[in-house]
């Protein structure tokens, strides 16, 4: 479970490969030895096989099952639209029936929750978020019905469980450690913020799911590119040739295109997905430049620019843009969508229908953008982003007070709450781990550390530009997997590197195990206020650890 840290200086540059092999007693024409040296240089990874693989997958499955059980247990017990479910559940229902979001009469929630789910009006609704997240929510209702509180939340709960699986496998691949991957999966499975967001039909977890999937696709692309590059360079060394002046041509890279499509889906949930597109696009090109430099390409930067950066831009930005436009298919096909005929009604009655549709969509986006940048209406649970990492002001999604005899209350006063607060120990240690990972990234020049930080840069830092806007702590779920990766990595460092002595490893393992046990116990303690359990109001007060939580 060790987190090894290797610097670029650990392995000499390509021009000395043959001297290395000679010193190791290997002949220059020994292709397997040369390939091994290059794969080591490029940090290529072989996943465990045999019994090790069986054990790894057993752990992954157990963590995923735990996540699924926690997310679907009594999922429909609260038959109310809580917090912003009042928008997205009804939008999802009308999307799957009309292709667009529809207007509703005043105060529609009581009728909707009582089963009158088709009381919407015959006109498109003005919404400020793209449709994919609401399509996802609508799929659960397509299966179970709009009158089912299970149906309202099923799709997001499934994506939340799958995101735990992805986080486990992605962390394992990134840090080349099954132990660190399982720690990451366990932490994400039991954290309260991720749990609440998985049990509530809001858009942010859906955005996180697509961004995390894109990150995983880029990791696979990176590893495949490095493997092919190592084989190409090894063949050149064995033949006694220099590497081509124009560099290695990678050809079609389907995983990079997949990442572009996934990031397009992220942008089609919320526009903030564009930050992930930008940061991950830079990250994947830097990975390629580093690899070309490590094998000794003479013009690695120029080659990387034309061989990697330009195709990456086309695949990722082009794929994302096309995906984003396709996500509006329901709006294009409808005659009821909000502003669908704006161009025809405002000076282009005889224009090309396709051009007019794009003009109308562009104007719609302009209106929505204006709404977002001027959103400053006060809200009791709005939170400054500077406090998000420490969970200073979490969001209350649902609260009910009961007297003796109501809803099973057996004391004078009871409370039922869905409180989107993360496990305090996970988030407080996670904030500290970011500092640790930055230090390790600088000191050891460990690229894995910077990759783990990339999602935090994309998902958190942009919000620091909007300190005066009405925004909420639960937005943090979007970058939470990368915070968890940083914490899991720091715990791996605590256990120690492969060469650490036995006493050092034992002490680190005991400390790491103790922290994980404490984290799980704290999650069990907070479970009632994450899931709306009816508890004694005094027990509720015991869980309000900070004055800012009430």
């Amino acid at each position: 479970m060790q987190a090894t840290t290797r610097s670029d200086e650990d392995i000499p540059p390509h021009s000395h490969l043959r001297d290395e092999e000679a010193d190791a007693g290997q002949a220059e024409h020994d292709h397997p030895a040369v390939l091994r040296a290059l794969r080591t240089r490029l940090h290529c990874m072989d996943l465990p096989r045999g019994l090790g693989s069986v054990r790894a997958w057993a752990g992954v499955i157990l963590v995923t099952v735990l996540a699924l059980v926690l997310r679907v247990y009594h999922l429909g017990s609260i038959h109310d639209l809580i917090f912003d479910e009042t928008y997205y559940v009804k939008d999802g229902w009308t999307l799957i029936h009309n292709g667009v979001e529809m207007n509703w009469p005043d105060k529609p929630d009581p009728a909707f929750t009582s089963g009158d789910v088709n009381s919407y009006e015959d006109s498109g609704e003005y919404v400020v978020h793209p449709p994919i997240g609401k399509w996802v929510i609508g799929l659960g209702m397509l299966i179970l019905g709009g009158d089912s509180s299970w149906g309202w939340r099923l799709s997001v709960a499934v994506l939340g469980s799958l995101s735990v699986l992805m986080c486990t496998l992605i962390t394992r691949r990134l840090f080349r450690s099954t132990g660190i991957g399982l720690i990451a999966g366990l932490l994400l499975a039991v954290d309260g913020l991720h749990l609440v967001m998985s049990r509530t039909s809001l858009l942010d977890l859906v955005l996180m799911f697509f961004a995390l999937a894109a990150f995983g696709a880029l990791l696979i692309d990176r590893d495949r590119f490095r493997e092919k590059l190592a084989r190409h360079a090894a063949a050149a060394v064995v033949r006694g040739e220099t590497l081509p002046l124009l560099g290695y041509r990678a050809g079609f890279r389907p995983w990079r295109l997949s990442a572009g499509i996934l990031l397009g889906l992220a942008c089609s949930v919320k526009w903030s997905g564009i930050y992930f597109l930008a940061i991950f696009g830079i990250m994947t090109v830097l990975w390629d430049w580093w690899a070309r430099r490590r094998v000794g390409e003479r013009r690695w930067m120029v080659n990387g620019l034309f061989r990697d950066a330009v195709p990456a831009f086309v695949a990722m930005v082009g794929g994302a843009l096309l995906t984003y436009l396709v996500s509006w298919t329901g709006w294009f096909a409808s005659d009821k969508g909000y502003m669908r005929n704006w161009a025809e009604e405002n000076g282009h009655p005889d224009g090309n229908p396709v051009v007019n549709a794009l003009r109308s969509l562009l104007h719609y986006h302009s209106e929505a953008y204006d709404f977002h940048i001027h959103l400053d209406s006060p809200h009791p649970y709005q939170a400054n982003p500077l406090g998000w990492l420490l969970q200073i002001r979490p969001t209350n999604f649902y609260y009910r007070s009961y007297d003796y005899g109501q809803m099973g209350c057996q004391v004078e006063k009871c409370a039922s709450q869905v409180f989107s607060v993360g496990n305090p120990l996970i988030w407080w240690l996670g904030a500290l781990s970011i500092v640790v990972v930055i230090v390790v990234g600088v000191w050891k020049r460990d690229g894995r550390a910077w990759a783990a930080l990339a999602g935090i840069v994309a998902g958190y830092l942009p919000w620091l530009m909007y300190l005066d806007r009405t925004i909420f702590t639960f937005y943090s779920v979007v970058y939470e997997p990368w915070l968890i990766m940083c914490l899991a990595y720091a715990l791996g460092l605590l256990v120690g590197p492969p060469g650490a002595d036995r006493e050092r490893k034992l002490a680190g393992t005991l400390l790491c195990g103790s922290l994980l046990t404490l984290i799980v116990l704290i999650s069990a303690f907070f479970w009632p206020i994450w899931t709306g359990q009816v508890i004694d109001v005094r027990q509720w007060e015991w869980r309000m650890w900070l004055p800012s939580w009430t």
Side-chain angles (χ1 to χ4, degrees):
M1 192 199 70
Q2 299 82 7
T4 58
T5 54
R6 294 181 291 188
S7 70
D8 286 354
E9 279 69 33
D10 289 340
I11 305 170
H14 173 71
S15 58
H16 301 297
L17 259 180
R18 297 175 191 170
D19 292 337
E20 276 184 5
E21 299 302 329
D23 292 340
Q26 302 288 347
E28 288 186 12
H29 63 273
D30 188 348
H31 184 274
V34 175
L35 180 58
R36 282 195 301 271
L38 280 164
R39 293 184 79 248
T40 301
R41 182 195 304 275
L42 292 175
H43 301 175
C44 295
M45 176 187 67
D46 288 320
L47 295 174
R49 297 178 180 178
L51 184 59
S53 178
V54 172
R55 289 173 177 172
W57 277 105
V60 170
I61 291 171
L62 285 174
V63 167
T64 306
V65 170
L66 172 65
L68 179 63
V69 170
L70 294 178
R71 280 150 184 77
V72 302
Y73 178 77
H74 284 186
L75 180 63
S77 60
I78 298 177
H79 196 74
D80 288 307
L81 297 175
I82 62 177
F83 204 67
D84 281 353
E85 281 187 340
T86 186
Y87 306 115
Y88 305 133
V89 169
K90 297 197 300 289
D91 286 346
W93 178 251
T94 57
L95 269 168
I96 63 172
H97 286 87
N98 299 273
V100 293
E101 302 90 338
M102 305 294 285
N103 276 312
W104 294 79
D106 291 339
K107 299 180 180 179
D109 286 5
F112 188 90
T113 56
S114 65
D116 185 8
V117 297
N118 294 316
S119 59
Y120 52 85
E121 299 173 350
D122 192 34
S123 59
E125 181 186 12
Y126 173 51
V127 295
V128 295
H129 292 301
I132 284 296
K134 290 164 282 187
W135 274 108
V136 169
I137 293 170
L139 290 177
M141 290 182 281
L142 185 63
I143 297 170
L144 299 178
D147 58 347
S148 167
S149 47
W150 270 82
W152 303 342
R153 301 172 184 130
L154 178 62
S155 295
V156 178
V158 170
L159 293 192
S161 304
L162 290 176
S163 69
V164 172
L165 172 63
M166 288 197 302
C167 183
T168 306
L169 296 176
I170 288 170
T171 307
R172 177 179 179 239
R173 177 177 287 270
L174 177 62
F175 294 111
R176 300 169 174 83
S177 168
T178 297
I180 292 178
L182 291 175
I183 288 175
L186 176 64
L187 292 173
L188 194 61
V190 303
D191 179 63
L193 178 60
H194 191 274
L195 179 70
V196 170
M197 297 303 290
S198 299
R199 294 171 60 92
T200 312
S201 281
L202 272 61
L203 302 181
D204 304 86
L205 187 131
V206 183
L207 166 59
M208 178 275 290
F209 176 85
F210 289 125
L212 181 61
F215 184 80
L218 290 175
L219 268 181
I220 295 173
D221 172 78
R222 181 203 68 175
D223 290 346
R224 292 194 172 191
F225 173 76
R226 290 181 179 181
E227 186 70 37
K228 292 178 180 179
L229 181 63
R231 293 182 181 279
H232 169 78
V237 169
V238 170
R239 293 193 301 265
E241 301 172 353
T242 59
L243 295 178
L245 183 63
L246 297 179
Y248 170 65
R249 185 183 178 207
F252 177 60
R253 298 170 68 167
W255 285 102
R256 181 172 275 174
L257 177 60
S258 299
I261 294 171
L262 288 165
L263 290 168
L265 290 171
C267 295
S268 302
V269 176
K270 276 191 169 183
W271 288 351
S272 51
I274 198 171
Y275 297 121
F276 286 95
L277 177 61
I279 297 300
F280 289 177
I282 294 171
M283 177 185 70
T284 189
V285 172
L286 291 178
W287 280 343
D288 288 351
W289 270 340
W290 178 89
R292 290 183 182 277
R293 180 173 176 268
R294 292 295 286 160
V295 299
E297 284 193 3
R298 287 164 289 172
R299 303 194 317 166
W300 58 269
M301 183 172 286
V302 175
N303 292 344
L305 178 63
F306 292 100
R307 295 282 198 196
D308 305 322
V310 173
F313 181 87
V314 173
M316 294 182 65
V317 176
L321 179 59
L322 182 60
T323 301
Y324 183 82
L325 288 174
V326 170
S327 76
W328 286 86
T329 298
W331 185 87
F332 284 122
S334 169
D335 59 355
K336 297 178 182 178
Y338 188 81
M339 287 190 179
R340 175 60 184 85
N341 299 310
W342 177 87
E344 288 84 352
E345 296 167 357
N346 290 270
H348 303 280
D350 301 319
N352 183 286
V354 175
V355 174
N356 277 348
L358 293 174
R359 282 177 178 148
S360 299
L361 185 63
L362 182 61
H363 182 74
Y364 190 173
H365 279 58
S366 175
E367 294 289 317
Y369 177 75
D370 185 69
F371 170 86
H372 283 299
I373 63 174
H374 292 103
L375 181 61
D376 57 3
S377 302
H379 191 284
Y381 284 96
Q382 68 186 70
N384 191 304
L386 295 175
W388 289 1
L389 287 172
L390 299 179
Q391 299 288 291
I392 299 299
R393 184 60 171 166
T395 313
N396 175 39
F397 282 1
Y398 172 89
Y399 183 88
R400 296 290 185 272
S401 178
Y402 299 108
D403 296 323
Y404 178 82
Q406 295 179 318
M407 297 297 293
C409 179
Q410 298 298 312
V411 295
E412 182 180 356
K413 203 75 173 177
C414 291
S416 172
Q417 184 175 32
V418 176
F419 194 38
S420 66
V421 62
N423 181 308
L425 192 54
I426 289 178
W427 282 85
W428 297 343
L429 289 177
L432 179 62
S433 73
I434 292 175
V435 179
V436 172
V437 172
I438 291 174
V439 171
V440 170
V442 173
W443 180 34
K444 294 292 187 180
R445 303 189 201 181
D446 190 345
R448 298 169 302 170
W450 297 113
L453 292 167
I456 299 174
V457 171
Y460 174 56
L461 291 189
W463 291 108
L464 298 180
M465 300 185 293
Y466 305 106
L467 299 180
D468 57 339
R469 279 185 47 186
T470 306
I471 48 182
F472 303 92
T473 300
F474 68 80
Y475 294 178
S476 298
V477 75
V478 174
Y479 63 84
E480 181 175 4
W482 291 273
L483 177 82
I484 294 293
M485 290 180 203
C486 289
L487 178 54
Y489 183 39
L491 292 174
L493 293 173
L494 191 63
V495 172
D501 60 76
R502 186 175 180 180
E503 289 76 13
R504 161 77 170 79
K505 281 191 174 183
L506 178 61
T509 300
L510 289 174
L511 181 55
C512 179
S514 299
L515 285 173
L516 291 175
T517 302
L518 183 58
I519 285 171
V520 171
L521 292 175
I522 290 175
S523 289
F525 179 72
F526 275 89
W527 169 262
I529 64 169
W530 290 339
T531 56
Q533 304 293 309
V534 177
I535 59 174
D536 185 338
V537 73
R538 291 183 180 178
Q539 294 185 28
W540 174 83
E541 291 172 350
W542 294 343
R543 290 163 173 83
M544 297 296 105
W545 284 10
L546 299 178
S548 57
W549 288 9
T550 57

